[in-house]
Amino acid sequence: MAPSNIVPRKPMTTMTEIDALLTENRKFPPPDEFRRNAHVKDTSLYKAAEENSEAFWESQANELEWFEKWKTVCEWNPPHVKWFTGGKINVSVNCVDRHVKTARRNKAALIWEGEPGDRRTLTYWDLYVEVQKCANMLKKLGVKRGDRVAIYMPLIPEVAIAMLACTRIGAAHSVVFGGFSPESLRDRINDAECRVLITADGGYRRGGVIPLKRNADRAIESCPTIEHVVVVQRRPGAFGDEAFASMTEGRDHWWHRLMQDASPVCQPEQMDAEDVLYILYTSGTTGKPKGIVHTTGGYLVGVTTTTKFVFDLKDDDVFWCTADVGWVTGHSYLVYGPLANGATCVMYEGAPDWPEKDRFWQICERHGVTILYTAPTAIRAFMKWGDQWPAKHDLSRLRLLGSVGEPINPEAWMWYQEKIGGNRCPIVDTWWQTETGAIVISPLPGVTETKPGSATTPLPGFSAALIDASGKEIKVGGGLLALTKPWPSMLRTIWGDDQRYVDTYFTKWEGRPDLYFPGDGAKRDDDGYYWILGRVDDVLNVAGHRIGTMEVESALVEHPAVAEAAVVGRTHELKGQALAAFVTVREGFEPSDDLGQELREFVAEKIGAIAKPDDVMFAADLPKTRSGKIMRRLLRDIAEGRALGDTTTLADPNVVAALKDQLVHKVFTFTSMFEAREE
Ligand code: WT7
């Protein structure tokens, strides 16, 4: 695809806004005081890393505690890579034990708030004890080095304890977001052949209870590899023992009962740097979700380094990453990165508007949050709710703000800077992906002059370029983003399907298996700054979460009323993109409001509410090319309410006329503002 053909299908992206991005010329240098005290104050780190990126990463790896040092820093056999081979390391030792030996012993590691208002603080010492107990509990249930453990939990401290416990004994975890449906959980468990599932009786979301154990029970009806289920009691007494969790004798165990008997001493496994640390599933363009595989040494080096530099993390900071641990952001910047740096982290279970729309600001004030890392979709919601909510609280402790998940539009960036940051805090707009494991393109807050809407430039140790379809590098202008050198925290493969790994990420440019293609289009300006435009494939970004259109289509056609379905993205004020489904019905079924609703619920049931289409539009037929390909471009135009582009390649031009007609008659659409965040 030539760069000029890249259709930016993301963000707050009307085309005019994208155009505006290119003329955006406000610049914000780091405040003097920030620069003076920052870990990185000048560009020397960039220069050193550019001269020798392996030496840079090696010096970062030396900051961690290893049982045995590596023999080779990087073995790059494109497209496969190994980092720190020969090195032996344990992640829990680096995230916990290391700090217990220092003055951080009694420092708060996790400051947690439940949605209903319950609170707990765990020190590094508490974590040290709990992680080892949990590790022993898992061992007792038969979990061994190399096994996989599924985690399906609300955002409570036990989720971090469980993850770290897995790393202690060398089991890989597969965290499945608590908003996913039983079917999604089942598929993920089966793909990774997990032996144990850790869940909770329930979790809170906007005042309601998510029946996690009930979902889990439905899922594992067809998960033959699951031998045991461990259930955390989310709020003892609150749900009644039987309300959400009926316990199957012999298979199911209450977490608190097993933990009571578990020994608080568990020797850490000495893991090879390249042993699997975890699997995390993410959407792709075709077929089932991909199990992204991250390994131990390189991943830890990548997240520890980027957390320290991008967030300028210091010992007295209170760091709040608002992501759920079900996504990679929660893995890298709620658990592993901050804990490896010995930071104090805030963790909040629930919705940002519960009980009131100032919950986030209340939390910032109450715990003295100094660094806030959240998503543009949330920032846009806050803007909409009004300035009065943050204004009610003392946010003067904040010193740095971060953004992740999708492009942040300049308007939201400016609001964030002014209303939350008091025009005092640098903003780091961080571009990365599940696959990259760590932040790749981002400002360094003490060095980089920021521009609203740009993630700026690759961090030290990372290399990017814009390349066109023919493989030519674009210095200034639009193109496909490529990462041109391996980095320690990159995915190593797709679980059980290495060919898919090769095909998805390393075949974009013929004969160049050394170029990683992340699937995003971008522009580069005269200063070499990157402006990420969004996905160029059939993956949507809804409220900062990746959803494959293909997955939603497959769910829809499983419904007996649906003959054919095509799902496209359209611009959404808050979520960046929303899903619009075009559906044709089978003989004997009639389109109706009720059926539309039913289909939305059906998708929520199959995948999770996050994938629920905002619009369902019934059509007599879908527009196809003569070779039978659905013309998504036209559907996108229709969904956006735009004038239709070129229709000359259509097999049957009448189909579009009919579709347009239907739209004029407003077959019907639904819009529900917060569903994607409601999960
Ligand atoms: C996709 C990755 C990274 C953790 C959360 C999402 C988009 C992510 C930015 C940003 C513009 C961004 C990209 C990327 N994206 N951050 N700062 N600016 N776009 O992880 O689910 O793996 O999604 O999110 O399109 O490819 P993910």
Side-chain angles (χ1 to χ4, degrees), residues 289-589:
K290 303 176 287 200
I292 303 302
V293 174
H294 282 293
T295 56
T296 308
Y299 175 81
L300 194 65
V301 171
V303 298
T304 309
T305 306
T306 51
T307 306
K308 179 173 166 192
F309 292 148
V310 173
F311 300 108
D312 187 45
L313 203 58
K314 310 271 174 47
D315 238 321
D316 54 357
D317 273 315
V318 177
F319 181 77
W320 184 19
C321 164
T322 68
D324 191 279
V325 80
W327 314 108
V328 73
T329 311
H331 284 61
S332 299
Y333 298 106
L334 179 58
V335 179
Y336 294 120
L339 294 180
N341 279 285
T344 294
C345 311
V346 171
M347 186 189 251
Y348 167 58
E349 174 188 30
D353 55 348
W354 190 268
E356 291 285 356
K357 294 184 168 60
D358 61 346
R359 184 63 183 268
F360 269 31
W361 319 123
Q362 195 184 60
I363 291 173
C364 285
E365 180 178 29
R366 177 154 50 228
H367 303 294
V369 172
T370 59
I371 304 169
L372 176 69
Y373 190 31
T374 195
T377 186
I379 298 167
R380 288 190 294 269
F382 298 140
M383 282 173 77
K384 194 182 162 87
W385 293 340
D387 302 353
Q388 69 276 20
W389 298 105
K392 278 176 41 179
H393 296 275
D394 177 5
L395 302 178
S396 62
R397 289 280 176 132
L398 285 172
R399 63 179 200 94
L400 178 65
L401 303 174
S403 170
V404 61
E406 47 182 317
I408 178 166
N409 45 317
E411 198 195 347
W413 197 102
M414 292 302 295
W415 184 90
Y416 197 28
Q417 181 182 61
E418 191 182 326
K419 305 296 176 191
I420 306 305
N423 291 322
R424 182 182 69 243
C425 310
I427 294 180
V428 286
D429 173 4
T430 62
W431 178 90
W432 59 297
Q433 319 178 284
T434 306
E435 293 87 342
T436 68
I439 298 169
V440 175
I441 303 179
S442 163
L444 284 183
V447 179
T448 314
E449 188 168 53
T450 55
K451 303 183 189 181
S454 169
T456 73
T457 59
L459 291 169
F462 297 89
S463 306
L466 283 193
I467 301 181
D468 74 9
S470 68
K472 198 174 113 252
E473 186 170 351
I474 315 272
K475 285 291 181 191
V476 176
L480 302 168
L481 187 60
L483 302 185
T484 54
K485 269 190 194 169
W487 62 100
S489 63
M490 69 191 273
L491 79 164
R492 296 298 191 264
T493 187
I494 290 172
W495 185 260
D497 196 351
D498 191 61
Q499 193 56 48
R500 195 173 174 198
Y501 162 81
V502 176
D503 295 344
T504 308
Y505 305 109
F506 297 96
T507 53
K508 190 77 197 171
W509 295 282
E510 234 188 284
R512 294 297 304 271
D514 57 322
L515 293 178
Y516 170 86
F517 177 52
D520 283 1
K523 303 225 177 208
R524 226 174 99 113
D525 67 18
D526 295 331
D527 297 328
Y529 278 37
Y530 289 85
W531 301 75
I532 310 290
L533 298 177
R535 312 274 325 165
V536 296
D537 53 22
D538 285 322
V539 175
L540 304 181
N541 187 317
V542 177
H545 299 306
R546 262 156 73 177
I547 296 178
T549 51
M550 160 80 186
E551 273 172 85
V552 182
E553 287 161 7
S554 323
L556 281 167
V557 295
E558 278 182 51
H559 190 282
V562 176
E564 210 174 15
V567 172
V568 297
R570 66 163 171 83
T571 314
H572 187 281
E573 193 195 349
L574 296 174
K575 297 192 281 193
Q577 284 195 302
L579 299 168
F582 291 82
V583 168
T584 63
V585 295
R586 284 183 193 281
E587 202 82 46
F589 290 90

